[in-house]
Amino acid sequence: MKDINFFDCLERIRQQKDNFMFTILHGFNEFLGEKIIQSFCEHFLEKKNDFSFRRFYFDAESDSSWEDIINEANSSSFFIQSRKILVVVVRDEKKINMNKYDKEILKKYLKKPNSNTILILYFSLNTTKDEYGQIKRSKIKRLLGELDSPHSHSIDLDRLSEREVSKYVKFYLKESGISVTSSAMEKIIELKGEDYASIINQLPKFEIARYQEKNLDTEDIDKIITGIEPHSIWDLTESIENEDINKYLEILKYLFINGVKPTFILGTLISYYTKIFTAKFLLKHNFPVGDIGKVLQQPNFMLNKFIQSVKHFSDKKLQQILKIIYKIDLELKTSGEDSARLSLQNFIFQIKLLSPEY
């Protein structure tokens, strides 16, 4: 069975390299499966209607018949208007394991499938990411082996890489007439971490936000992704440096009210103070300020202010701040968001209590 990822599948459909007579879509990021189905419809069907496109469901409420599905698959002909896409959606984990009779019907069909039909087996399970991973490793993996054939394709919707996502985002936005700078793309990756699927999910938001300007740069990304003005984060770090308790708590409250997760705030603080640590090292080794700005991706309009902050920090104070932040990060991972919110509120008081010698 050919095992390909989301991006490779879209490209193969577009170039019509393969005849996807039997395709299995599996992965927690199931919305990507809908994009693949949409692409199949655009490139394979002359017209999408009740005759050419049908969904069958296997769940607690409905129990479709594989015999009926295969009969439907065999009913299409070589006429373009007679082509069909049939999507078999498994919504119940208990329905993943096929009974012997259904399995034999499908395996018999796979020996000589109808080239005028695209038959899609699509797992759409109501589970957490971890639960889906366990199901995928056990039940789905075993079924993939049982349904192996020269005509089968397995599409893993969770197998995404940073390079492929970046390339896809740039291509998608370019098609909409929107350019995105490399630094903006890096900022998107930084904010989203390894949650690459959510980046793809943000694309319509990027399109709408930049409909007029037709370009995306670093300063646009914070507001588009989080809905928060980027200056609020700068104000937060500035209030920490000035040890301004009232301002810090006010900005923190604003961020929480606007739905910004503690993980994002904490990640921003870790990134900010790590950059200060790096900049201090580079300054000690006589790196030019301009080069430091490029290495750390600091906007030109903020560079001088950032360098002043770097010079202001003593090494000991910076080490203590990082120590506190990483402790909060550990609390977030072990005790949850409520505990992390409280720790972030207490963070400014811990800074105040640092020894004056720092």
Side-chain angles (χ1 to χ4, degrees):
M1 182 181 298
K2 292 183 180 178
D3 183 37
I4 56 180
N5 65 19
F6 169 73
F7 301 105
D8 193 15
C9 181
L10 288 183
E11 185 62 20
R12 287 170 180 264
I13 294 171
R14 188 178 69 83
Q15 295 186 9
Q16 298 186 354
K17 283 186 175 181
D18 294 78
N19 192 340
F20 289 87
M21 288 179 278
F22 181 62
T23 302
I24 302 175
L25 301 175
H26 60 95
F28 181 75
N29 300 311
E30 64 178 67
F31 77 94
L32 297 179
E34 293 297 335
K35 289 185 177 294
I36 288 175
I37 293 171
Q38 181 183 349
S39 185
F40 276 136
C41 293
E42 291 172 357
H43 292 86
F44 184 75
L45 298 180
E46 181 183 46
K47 192 174 183 180
K48 183 181 175 182
N49 52 41
D50 292 339
F51 171 81
S52 63
F53 181 85
R54 286 193 62 189
R55 288 181 188 254
F56 301 85
Y57 296 95
F58 284 91
D59 54 27
E61 285 73 36
S62 59
D63 198 352
S64 298
S65 163
W66 271 105
E67 188 170 8
D68 291 342
I69 294 168
I70 297 304
N71 287 336
E72 181 86 14
N74 281 321
S75 68
S76 60
S77 67
F78 65 89
F79 294 107
I80 293 177
Q81 62 269 27
S82 179
R83 290 177 175 176
K84 291 186 178 182
I85 292 178
L86 307 179
V87 183
V88 181
V89 185
V90 178
R91 286 179 166 169
D92 189 339
E93 180 187 345
K94 295 176 182 177
K95 303 292 183 179
I96 295 175
N97 294 327
M98 302 170 65
N99 62 49
K100 186 177 179 181
Y101 179 70
D102 286 343
K103 198 180 296 179
E104 288 304 315
I105 289 175
L106 182 52
K107 289 173 78 172
K108 182 179 178 181
Y109 173 77
L110 291 178
K111 290 179 180 179
K112 193 177 180 181
N114 188 343
S115 61
N116 303 297
T117 296
I118 292 178
L119 178 59
I120 300 170
L121 180 56
Y122 183 26
F123 297 100
S124 178
L125 306 175
N126 184 22
T127 65
T128 65
K129 192 170 185 177
D130 288 341
E131 288 170 344
Y132 197 106
Q134 292 175 357
I135 295 169
K136 193 174 177 180
R137 287 188 293 272
S138 55
K139 295 183 179 180
I140 294 177
K141 185 178 179 180
R142 183 170 63 249
L143 186 62
L144 291 177
E146 292 171 344
L147 300 180
D148 187 20
S149 84
H151 309 289
S152 303
H153 291 77
S154 166
I155 318 298
D156 187 344
L157 303 175
D158 298 332
R159 188 151 58 89
L160 306 170
S161 72
E162 180 180 326
R163 181 184 62 81
E164 289 174 316
V165 169
S166 298
K167 183 179 177 181
Y168 179 77
V169 169
K170 289 178 181 178
F171 174 79
Y172 181 97
L173 293 175
K174 185 179 179 181
E175 290 284 291
S176 303
I178 300 171
S179 63
V180 54
T181 65
S182 297
S183 58
M185 194 65 240
E186 289 169 0
K187 185 65 175 178
I188 294 170
I189 298 293
E190 178 186 325
L191 291 177
K192 288 297 181 179
E194 294 183 359
D195 189 7
Y196 300 130
S198 68
I199 296 175
I200 298 172
N201 223 3
Q202 295 281 339
L203 289 175
K205 189 187 289 187
F206 291 142
E207 279 187 288
I208 295 168
R210 308 315 294 171
Y211 179 76
Q212 296 291 340
E213 291 81 358
K214 296 296 183 183
N215 63 79
L216 272 172
D217 210 341
T218 312
E219 56 266 25
D220 305 313
I221 301 304
D222 281 308
K223 186 176 180 181
I224 294 174
I225 290 183
T226 68
I228 304 300
E229 294 284 356
H231 68 75
S232 62
I233 294 294
W234 282 101
D235 293 341
L236 187 72
T237 56
E238 185 178 57
S239 66
I240 295 170
E241 291 172 33
N242 296 330
E243 297 184 4
D244 187 336
I245 294 175
N246 290 332
K247 186 177 181 182
Y248 173 84
L249 293 176
E250 183 182 332
I251 296 168
L252 199 62
K253 181 181 177 182
Y254 165 78
L255 294 172
F256 286 155
I257 288 174
N258 281 277
V260 180
K261 298 285 187 181
T263 47
F264 173 76
I265 298 172
L266 197 57
T268 301
L269 291 177
I270 290 173
S271 175
Y272 178 74
Y273 287 110
T274 301
K275 285 180 177 181
I276 288 181
F277 186 87
T278 305
K280 286 183 74 66
F281 174 83
L282 295 175
L283 281 174
K284 286 180 181 178
H285 289 78
N286 300 317
F287 272 67
V289 170
D291 290 348
I292 294 175
K294 290 178 183 177
V295 169
L296 299 179
Q297 299 173 9
Q298 293 298 312
N300 289 330
F301 68 94
M302 293 297 297
L303 185 55
N304 290 333
K305 184 178 179 181
F306 173 73
I307 293 299
Q308 288 304 314
S309 297
V310 171
K311 293 178 178 178
H312 169 75
F313 271 98
S314 70
D315 291 342
K316 288 185 177 180
K317 182 174 182 178
L318 185 56
Q319 288 170 9
Q320 288 298 312
I321 289 176
L322 285 170
K323 186 176 180 181
I324 295 169
I325 290 175
Y326 283 120
K327 184 179 178 183
I328 297 174
D329 185 44
L330 180 62
E331 289 176 1
L332 174 62
K333 292 172 181 174
T334 56
S335 304
E337 287 191 359
D338 290 339
S339 177
R341 284 192 183 91
L342 183 60
S343 295
L344 282 169
Q345 289 170 342
N346 291 332
F347 177 59
I348 188 69
F349 297 103
Q350 291 179 278
I351 299 296
K352 271 279 193 183
L353 291 173
L354 288 178
S355 172
E357 68 184 59
Y358 293 147

